[in-house]
Amino acid sequence: MTRQHTDPLSRSALDALSSDLRLACMRIARRVRYESTSDVAPHQMSVLSRLEDAPRTLRELAAIENVSAPSMSRTTTGLVERGFVERTNDPSDGRQVILSLSADGKRALRDARRRRDLWMHVRINHLDADEQQTLARAAEILAKVAAE
Amino acid sequence: MTRQHTDPLSRSALDALSSDLRLACMRIARRVRYESTSDVAPHQMSVLSRLEDAPRTLRELAAIENVSAPSMSRTTTGLVERGFVERTNDPSDGRQVILSLSADGKRALRDARRRRDLWMHVRINHLDADEQQTLARAAEILAKVAAE
DNA sequence: TATTGTTATACTCTATAACTATA
DNA sequence: TATAGTTATAGAGTATAACAATA
């Protein structure tokens, strides 16, 4: 790919881009959430994905998710009852509880992601090759922006 | 700008792009929502932006927002009490109520958007010109995707 | 005494069912 | 009788305060 000189965006173009891009991302997020409904609620899904990285104690989960300990207690109780999360006692500290993802939990997580990705896949499939290439480059930049 | 031939994305590249782009949009949406907090709750903001286009009856708003009439009644009552929305009787049908955006409502909407756009603006400002140009093209495509 | 997690209680947003007023 | 909107009541999810068990 030949690299060409690109002029920086004007102040007003930057304003418009911020607004347009922000709106598009929020609309897409809303539609993905709305149209790929799951029997696992969003806050439950979020906990499952946190447990995917590593088992956690309740306090850790509450802190990561910016939620109170009682709320997280309720959320994880529900997930344990549904078999998506396993609760084991910490052998080294009797106060703590280790929460981890069960096989069913991993499956639920994978299925939910598949449904969400499908929504986007269908729409990207309808774009032409140029547009797809632009989005491929944009996806990297947006990932950087989101992680910042 | 010279237009070049671009190859279509492979099946696996499309899969990865769907997933990456979906995730990036959802993360950005979450961070914008989380970091540009407002005293107007999200469901209230949403109603304000609906009323920006045109005044609406309660049933219309409920249908547009996919919410029950009693829920919308509560939401709009709150907005009327805060002076963001005006409630007038429909002269031609005594059962109906016309809800419209007040000057304060318009201001609240504008301020909230400004805060949200600012989040994105700061981040886009840090990108180089090439990346900005790519996002400018991507924004159009994403808007199309979101509207589809 | 400090910390982990749960229970008690309350507030918000959601819903459905019952009600009032108007067509 | 049907429709627009409100009120009554209940179900999630959130929070803070009070509690039990453990360190």
Side-chain angles (χ1 to χ4, degrees):
Chain A
M1 177 161 299
T2 56
R3 179 165 285 273
Q4 302 176 7
H5 171 73
T6 41
D7 291 322
L9 264 57
S10 69
R11 170 65 200 258
S12 66
L14 268 181
D15 286 352
L17 177 55
S18 306
S19 186
D20 293 347
L21 199 55
R22 196 268 296 168
L23 247 173
C25 285
M26 293 191 82
R27 283 189 176 145
I28 285 171
R30 173 191 292 210
R31 294 206 43 191
V32 167
R33 246 180 301 132
Y34 187 79
E35 296 186 24
S36 60
T37 55
S38 157
D39 53 338
V40 183
H43 70 289
Q44 293 176 316
M45 270 296 298
S46 192
V47 169
L48 292 184
S49 67
R50 297 299 186 177
L51 292 178
E52 194 176 31
D53 309 324
R56 305 272 184 197
T57 68
L58 190 138
R59 298 309 270 222
E60 285 173 342
L61 277 179
I64 293 170
E65 292 286 291
N66 271 295
V67 132
S68 69
S71 287
M72 188 49 75
S73 180
R74 273 194 60 157
T75 300
T76 54
T77 297
L79 289 170
V80 168
E81 281 168 358
R82 293 185 59 180
F84 292 154
V85 164
E86 277 155 15
R87 180 191 258 133
T88 57
N89 294 317
D90 186 334
S92 68
D93 185 339
R95 296 170 303 181
Q96 291 192 145
V97 169
I98 311 288
L99 299 158
S100 57
L101 207 55
S102 72
D104 275 2
K106 281 178 193 140
R107 205 171 303 124
L109 203 49
R110 200 191 54 223
D111 292 350
R113 282 182 180 146
R114 192 177 290 155
R115 273 192 301 276
R116 291 176 167 194
D117 289 344
L118 183 62
W119 184 94
M120 188 63 99
H121 199 290
V122 167
R123 276 145 191 89
I124 289 181
N125 228 352
H126 292 159
L127 302 174
D128 62 40
D130 269 330
E131 293 174 318
Q132 290 176 356
Q133 294 284 359
T134 297
L135 287 188
R137 285 196 302 279
E140 285 181 46
I141 304 169
L142 290 174
K144 205 167 64 173
V145 164
E148 201 180 314
Chain B
M1 178 160 298
T2 57
R3 179 164 286 274
Q4 301 176 6
H5 171 74
T6 42
D7 291 322
L9 264 56
S10 69
R11 170 65 200 258
S12 67
L14 267 182
D15 286 351
L17 176 56
S18 307
S19 186
D20 294 346
L21 199 54
R22 196 267 298 166
L23 248 173
C25 286
M26 294 192 82
R27 282 187 178 147
I28 286 171
R30 172 191 294 209
R31 295 209 40 193
V32 167
R33 244 180 302 131
Y34 187 78
E35 296 186 26
S36 60
T37 54
S38 156
D39 54 338
V40 183
H43 69 289
Q44 293 177 315
M45 272 295 299
S46 191
V47 168
L48 292 184
S49 66
R50 297 299 187 176
L51 291 179
E52 196 176 29
D53 308 324
R56 304 272 186 196
T57 68
L58 190 139
R59 300 308 272 220
E60 284 173 343
L61 277 179
I64 292 170
E65 292 286 290
N66 271 296
V67 131
S68 70
S71 288
M72 188 49 74
S73 180
R74 273 197 59 156
T75 300
T76 53
T77 296
L79 289 170
V80 168
E81 281 168 357
R82 293 185 58 181
F84 292 155
V85 164
E86 276 157 15
R87 181 189 256 133
T88 57
N89 294 316
D90 186 333
S92 68
D93 185 340
R95 295 170 304 182
Q96 291 192 146
V97 170
I98 311 290
L99 299 158
S100 57
L101 207 54
S102 72
D104 275 2
K106 280 179 195 143
R107 204 171 304 123
L109 202 49
R110 201 192 54 223
D111 291 350
R113 282 182 180 146
R114 191 177 291 155
R115 272 192 301 277
R116 292 177 167 194
D117 289 344
L118 182 62
W119 184 94
M120 187 64 99
H121 199 290
V122 166
R123 276 144 192 90
I124 289 181
N125 229 352
H126 292 159
L127 302 175
D128 63 41
D130 268 330
E131 293 174 319
Q132 289 177 355
Q133 294 284 0
T134 297
L135 287 189
R137 285 197 302 280
E140 285 182 44
I141 303 169
L142 290 174
K144 205 168 65 172
V145 164
E148 201 180 315

